[in-house]
Amino acid sequence: HWAMGTVYYQGYLDYDRALKELTIAQQINPNDSAIPLLIGSVKRRQGKFEEAATIMERAVSLDPNNAYNSFTLGATYALLRKYPEAQKHIDRALLLAPTGLWYARKARFALLQGEIEMARAALNEAAAKSVTSPFDFYYGGMLELFAHDYKAAMSRLSSDPSDAYDYQWFLVPKAPVSYTHLRAHETVLD
């Protein structure tokens, strides 16, 4: 039932059928943290963010040492703009299993709050631990843009060999831009 719920959720985007299968799975195995985490993920896709966070809290309580559960809950709180709660769970995930992608996301969430130095600290900590992510250049460039250091932004972005930043939530082609082009948009970025 968990597998079928996953197929309906990720394969067919049929959230109602996914939830029916996952409800059965939860009745069979109420202490499996993967089930409420997936139910919360489906609810999040349905735009039911508060409900998703409540359900994901159960997943974290069932398996408090599962870094993925903590990170997913933190990301859900970030979507709700509940940044202190998000930070707590993301920091817990990083304590349990530091990965470059999670540090990059921590930087992103810091930028959403306007916390440039917090974002910089997250990326620096990842570099110090030698954990990298394909988004280090992107979020590093974004934090320099937010700090109005366009030369540093160009340096970060131009040193990345990628042609585009492609992820679940965005696709940003890496078009040739210049410092002058960025500087011309300074008033827009302010």
Side-chain angles (χ1 to χ4, degrees):
H1 294 285
W2 180 85
M4 285 306 301
T6 302
V7 168
Y8 286 129
Y9 167 52
Q10 294 179 339
Y12 294 102
L13 306 179
D14 187 338
Y15 305 135
D16 292 333
R17 287 177 76 182
L19 288 172
K20 285 178 186 174
E21 291 294 334
L22 294 169
T23 299
I24 295 167
Q26 193 165 41
Q27 290 168 351
I28 294 168
N29 194 354
N31 295 320
D32 183 347
S33 73
I35 298 168
L37 187 75
L38 191 56
I39 291 171
S41 296
V42 173
K43 295 288 186 177
R44 192 169 70 179
R45 285 283 177 197
Q46 292 177 317
K48 299 173 183 175
F49 298 106
E50 290 285 352
E51 189 177 352
T54 300
I55 293 166
M56 288 177 179
E57 284 280 0
R58 170 114 173 99
V60 170
S61 71
L62 287 170
D63 191 356
N65 292 321
N66 184 313
Y68 184 75
N69 290 358
S70 291
F71 181 81
T72 304
L73 176 58
T76 302
Y77 278 128
L79 291 169
L80 286 164
R81 296 186 177 142
K82 294 183 176 183
Y83 296 116
E85 291 93 340
Q87 191 72 38
K88 178 180 85 170
H89 291 288
I90 291 166
D91 285 343
R92 174 82 178 146
L94 286 167
L95 179 69
L96 293 167
T99 70
L101 180 59
W102 293 353
Y103 275 109
R105 294 295 301 281
K106 180 177 177 174
R108 176 179 181 261
F109 297 144
L111 289 174
L112 289 173
Q113 298 173 76
E115 298 288 343
I116 296 165
E117 291 311 312
M118 184 188 300
R120 189 181 311 280
L123 293 177
N124 288 342
E125 187 175 342
K129 292 184 178 185
S130 298
V131 291
T132 60
S133 140
F135 302 103
D136 293 347
F137 292 102
Y138 178 73
Y139 290 126
M142 294 307 295
L143 81 85
E144 299 301 354
L145 283 174
F146 281 39
H148 302 283
D149 189 341
Y150 305 106
K151 287 182 183 179
M154 285 303 302
S155 175
R156 281 186 185 254
L157 294 172
S158 64
S159 64
D160 183 7
S162 303
D163 291 329
Y165 302 102
D166 184 10
Y167 194 58
Q168 178 179 2
W169 293 292
F170 60 82
L171 170 67
V172 181
K174 194 174 138 187
V177 293
S178 67
Y179 169 72
T180 307
H181 176 77
L182 285 175
R183 191 76 183 143
H185 290 88
E186 179 178 8
T187 55
V188 174
L189 296 171
D190 287 338

